[in-house]
């Protein structure tokens, strides 16, 4: 999709949205920011079907699995996936693969699958093409221009010895689980899988409509979570996430041989150990949540990022699951415990 396309939704990719009524306004903004053409809408709550098509001015879709199997759309955006991928008696991985094989891009604001345990039957992780790789989480940290600038700078920065990630929003932009998944994915990309993670939370509470799953899943979580991650080689990271922050902010600070890199969705600043500024793209502006999500989608559906490496879902979910377990036990927990169940270690 060209830059011209992004300013005229009538020329953009045909898109079906699956959303709760609560996220309708966010979806409207994201569609505009990403330059998508809305051709259908549905949601996990049947009661919302009376309001969503009217609210978003698009034809109603009643079954997500039918949409993935038969839609002629170019993009399916799961703003609210509901229980998609959560039940072992439904082979939802097959529907995701079916969409991918027809050239449909399936994007999601919430992690799908949402738990490493949802991958234990092998359906989402089957080779040669894992179904989990066909459902792309947005907004991807590494897709934004500022974070890509930071990743380029790391080639000359040297080893990162510690980092912190803060990712907060309001609930219509995504759940606590989504923010935890995204923050841990960034840590995973730069430092790998931690040896242990110690976490505490205010909540997380399960949102309305979700059964208590023993907090093994990121699905439907709401609240605040803080965690410290320790790595076998002595490095350390911290993560702070919330879906009750009132506004979108995503920021990381990296410390290492090259000094300090501070990066958010709108800027990147590299300060060397002697205090000199090597890189500074700060503009003083902070993009909104829908703007960040829309830009991530625009890049993901364009040719410039089609070769973007997929997320290591199993490792990220195992770390997130260890964090949720730690909030209950009050003790550091290890992602390796879950990765062994998945046959990864």
């Amino acid at each position: 999709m060209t830059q011209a396309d992004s300013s005229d939704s009538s020329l953009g990719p045909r898109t079906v949205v699956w959303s709760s009524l609560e996220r309708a306004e966010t979806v409207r903004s994201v569609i505009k920011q990403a330059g998508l053409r809305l051709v259908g809408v549905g949601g996990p709550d049947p009661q919302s079907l009376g309001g969503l098509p009217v609210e978003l001015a698009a034809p109603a879709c009643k079954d997500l699995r039918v949409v993935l199997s038969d839609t002629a759309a170019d993009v399916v955006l799961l703003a609210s996936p509901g229980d998609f991928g959560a039940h072992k008696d439904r082979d939802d991985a097959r529907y995701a693969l079916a969409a991918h094989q027809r050239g449909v891009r399936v994007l999601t604001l919430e992690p799908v699958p949402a738990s490493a345990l949802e991958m234990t039957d092998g359906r989402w992780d089957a080779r040669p093409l894992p179904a989990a790789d066909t459902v792309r989480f947005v907004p991807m940290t590494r897709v934004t221009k500022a974070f890509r600038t930071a990743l380029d700078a790391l080639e000359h920065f040297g080893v990162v010895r510690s980092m912190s990630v803060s990712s907060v929003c309001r609930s219509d932009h995504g759940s606590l689980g989504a923010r935890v998944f995204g923050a841990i994915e960034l840590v995973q990309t730069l430092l790998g899988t931690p040896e242990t993670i110690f976490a505490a939370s205010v909540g997380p509470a399960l949102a309305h409509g979700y059964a208590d799953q023993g907090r093994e899943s990121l699905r439907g979580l709401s609240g605040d979570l803080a965690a410290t991650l320790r790595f076998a080689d002595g490095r350390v990271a911290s993560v702070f996430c919330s879906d009750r922050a009132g506004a979108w902010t995503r920021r990381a600070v990296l410390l290492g041989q090259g000094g300090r890199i501070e990066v958010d969705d709108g800027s990147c600043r590299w300060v060397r150990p002697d205090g000199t500024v090597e890189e500074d793209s700060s503009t003083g502006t902070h993009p909104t949540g829908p703007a960040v999500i829309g830009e991530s989608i625009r890049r993901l559906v364009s040719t410039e990022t089609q070769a973007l490496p997929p997320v290591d879902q199993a490792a990220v979910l195992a770390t997130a699951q260890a964090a949720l377990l730690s909030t209950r036990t009050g003790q550091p927990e290890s992602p390796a415990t879950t990765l062994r169940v998945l046959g990864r270690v």
Side-chain angles (χ1 to χ4, degrees), residues 144-191:
T144 64
K145 181 178 179 180
F147 279 96
R148 285 187 296 154
T149 299
L151 292 175
D152 290 341
L154 287 177
E155 295 182 8
H156 309 285
F157 182 82
V159 175
V160 176
R161 67 173 182 268
S162 62
M163 66 182 292
S164 68
V165 181
S166 175
S167 182
V168 301
C169 68
R170 64 190 199 207
S171 61
D172 57 312
H173 295 161
S175 70
L176 171 62
R179 302 287 71 81
V180 170
F181 183 89
I184 289 178
E185 193 278 328
L186 178 59
V187 174
Q188 180 81 30
T189 297
L190 298 181
L191 301 183

Side-chain angles (χ1 to χ4, degrees), residues 84-342:
F84 183 73
H87 298 296
K88 293 186 180 296
D89 58 345
R90 294 179 183 170
D91 190 0
D92 287 338
R94 176 170 60 87
Y95 292 99
L97 282 171
H100 175 80
Q101 289 165 355
R102 295 189 349 269
V104 179
R105 287 185 171 270
V106 183
L107 309 177
T108 179
L109 302 192
E110 302 290 334
V112 175
S115 166
L117 294 182
E118 293 173 10
M119 303 178 72
T120 54
D121 62 7
R123 293 175 180 177
W124 284 100
D125 207 23
R127 297 302 191 261
L129 177 62
D133 292 351
T134 68
V135 183
R136 304 303 293 266
F137 176 77
V138 291
M140 289 288 295
T141 305
R142 50 181 138 154
V143 170
T144 64
K145 181 178 179 180
F147 279 96
R148 285 187 296 154
T149 299
L151 292 175
D152 290 341
L154 287 177
E155 295 182 8
H156 309 285
F157 182 82
V159 175
V160 176
R161 67 173 182 268
S162 62
M163 66 182 292
S164 68
V165 181
S166 175
S167 182
V168 301
C169 68
R170 64 190 199 207
S171 61
D172 57 312
H173 295 161
S175 70
L176 171 62
R179 302 287 71 81
V180 170
F181 183 89
I184 289 178
E185 193 278 328
L186 178 59
V187 174
Q188 180 81 30
T189 297
L190 298 181
L191 301 183
T193 303
E195 185 174 49
T196 61
I197 180 167
F198 177 69
S201 63
V202 179
L206 285 159
H208 175 70
Y210 291 88
D212 190 343
Q213 304 174 51
R215 294 186 184 170
E216 296 169 339
S217 173
L218 295 174
R219 196 178 303 270
L221 293 180
S222 178
D224 316 326
L225 183 143
T228 300
L229 298 78
R230 297 186 62 179
F231 296 80
D233 60 4
R235 291 183 292 175
V236 66
S238 67
V239 165
F240 176 72
C241 301
S242 177
D243 70 330
R244 303 188 298 189
W248 178 279
T249 302
R250 189 170 56 168
R251 183 173 184 267
V253 178
L254 316 177
L255 302 178
Q257 294 175 327
R260 181 179 81 249
I261 292 178
E262 300 174 351
V263 58
D264 59 30
D265 284 304
S267 64
C268 176
R269 191 167 190 263
W270 174 8
V271 181
R272 289 193 174 276
D274 63 3
T276 59
V277 178
E278 180 70 22
E279 172 88 32
D280 192 350
S281 62
S282 303
T283 62
T285 61
H286 300 282
T288 64
V292 174
I293 296 168
E295 175 65 8
S296 180
I297 291 173
R298 190 190 69 78
R299 291 186 179 278
L300 279 171
V301 299
S302 71
T303 56
E304 62 187 283
T305 53
Q306 284 183 2
L308 189 72
V311 173
D312 187 344
Q313 293 267 64
V316 175
L317 289 172
T319 301
Q321 201 159 305
L324 296 181
L325 179 60
S326 179
T327 65
R328 301 203 316 271
T329 65
Q331 302 292 328
E333 302 292 344
S334 174
T337 302
T338 299
L339 290 173
R340 275 192 290 270
V341 174
L342 297 176

